[in-house]
Amino acid sequence: MPPVLRGAGEGATITVCPDGPLLVRGDVEIVDVDGEPVERRRSTVALCRCGRSSIAPYCDGSHKVRRGRR
């Protein structure tokens, strides 16, 4: 199950990258399916959309080796 974003502060944005991750910028808490916070070390993070990342929920660039669009 994908992570959930909650508590978005003013100015928080989510940018959809074509054939890539979701870029999350600003004051947003990322939680797992159990509602537990997911560690976040940066103010901008890339969330995986392809399901191949070895560091999920964050993107590790694995989508670049995939063929076709999703």
Side-chain angles (χ1 to χ4, degrees), residues 4-70:
V4 175
L5 308 176
R6 70 178 179 197
E10 188 173 326
T13 62
I14 299 174
T15 304
V16 179
C17 296
D19 296 324
L22 297 173
L23 295 181
V24 180
R25 295 180 177 96
D27 187 21
V28 176
E29 182 179 20
I30 302 172
V31 297
D32 65 18
V33 69
D34 297 320
E36 296 297 319
V38 175
E39 183 178 7
R40 182 176 173 180
R41 296 181 182 167
R42 299 175 179 201
S43 61
T44 299
V45 294
L47 296 180
C48 176
R49 290 195 302 153
C50 74
R52 295 182 179 196
S53 176
S54 64
I55 58 170
Y58 300 110
C59 177
D60 67 0
S62 295
H63 60 275
K64 295 176 185 177
V65 297
R66 175 181 92 221
R67 291 187 180 260
R69 295 182 72 147
R70 211 177 215 189

